[in-house]
Amino acid sequence: MATSYKEIMNNIDTLIFDVDGVLTNGMITITTDGQMYRHMNIKDGYALRSAVLAGFNVCIISGGSNEGVRKRLEGLGITDIYLGAHQKMIQFEEYCSNKGIDASTIMYMGDDIPDLPVMQQVALACAPQDAAPEIKDVAEYISQIKGGDGCVRDVIEQVMRVQGKWTTQTEAKYD
């Protein structure tokens, strides 16, 4: 019998996320001067901060290179942020090697084809509800929530609840 995603969550100590389509809804607003704006869900931010404070390794690997995204994530206490990652396996392998992390303890959430190679290497591959079909095919867990609408909160809260680390008495304060 196959192991359920809830059982796998017991062993997760590292959470890795894509940005566009996961932490955002995948849409960008482009101004006349070329600035690109993304929207992130505040509940996802709360969950990310809670995970950092609970001692999880939290990493971001994104093909995008918006420094505003980096600033937001750093404000949540995330220090391992790879932007401009067009070959995500390179950053994934570097991160795991530098931190001494085994793929069998990693959850990764992605939404599109560039995420596929990493998703095939981790213990728990996750996807937002509106992920590409190829991503849903390899995901052990597909959130009922779309990217940018709280899917990150959904999966973090589940991992933390399974491990008894989710609490309503948290110090997850952030800017």
Side-chain angles (χ1 to χ4, degrees), residues 97-135:
S97 175
N98 289 346
K99 297 283 186 175
I101 297 170
D102 187 88
S104 67
T105 65
I106 298 174
M107 188 263 2
Y108 182 96
M109 181 175 256
D111 72 306
D112 211 346
I113 304 301
D115 300 304
L116 192 57
V118 176
M119 291 178 74
Q120 293 171 326
Q121 300 300 312
V122 299
L124 184 60
C126 300
Q129 185 272 324
D130 56 344
E134 296 87 350
I135 297 303

Side-chain angles (χ1 to χ4, degrees), residues 34-170:
Q35 291 291 321
M36 291 187 276
Y37 296 100
R38 291 163 172 83
H39 299 269
M40 292 186 173
N41 189 296
I42 200 80
K43 291 178 183 173
D44 286 345
Y46 179 83
L48 286 164
R49 182 71 180 142
S50 295
V52 168
L53 291 174
F56 286 89
N57 301 307
V58 179
C59 178
I60 305 298
I61 303 176
S62 175
S65 56
N66 184 292
E67 287 302 313
V69 169
R70 181 185 308 277
K71 184 175 180 178
R72 166 69 176 146
L73 296 169
E74 286 174 346
L76 297 172
I78 300 169
T79 57
D80 298 302
I81 303 167
Y82 297 88
L83 300 181
H86 300 293
Q87 301 284 329
K88 294 185 179 188
M89 277 302 295
I90 295 169
Q91 287 78 15
F92 174 75
E93 289 171 350
E94 176 184 314
Y95 175 71
C96 291
S97 175
N98 289 346
K99 297 283 186 175
I101 297 170
D102 187 88
S104 67
T105 65
I106 298 174
M107 188 263 2
Y108 182 96
M109 181 175 256
D111 72 306
D112 211 346
I113 304 301
D115 300 304
L116 192 57
V118 176
M119 291 178 74
Q120 293 171 326
Q121 300 300 312
V122 299
L124 184 60
C126 300
Q129 185 272 324
D130 56 344
E134 296 87 350
I135 297 303
K136 288 180 172 182
D137 286 346
V138 300
E140 284 93 11
Y141 175 71
I142 301 169
S143 177
Q144 295 180 21
I145 303 170
K146 292 180 180 181
D149 286 346
C151 64
V152 170
R153 162 72 178 258
D154 172 42
V155 73
I156 290 175
E157 185 174 339
Q158 286 195 59
V159 169
M160 291 179 72
R161 281 187 188 278
V162 164
Q163 295 183 16
K165 296 178 181 177
W166 185 259
T167 176
T168 57
Q169 304 298 319
T170 183

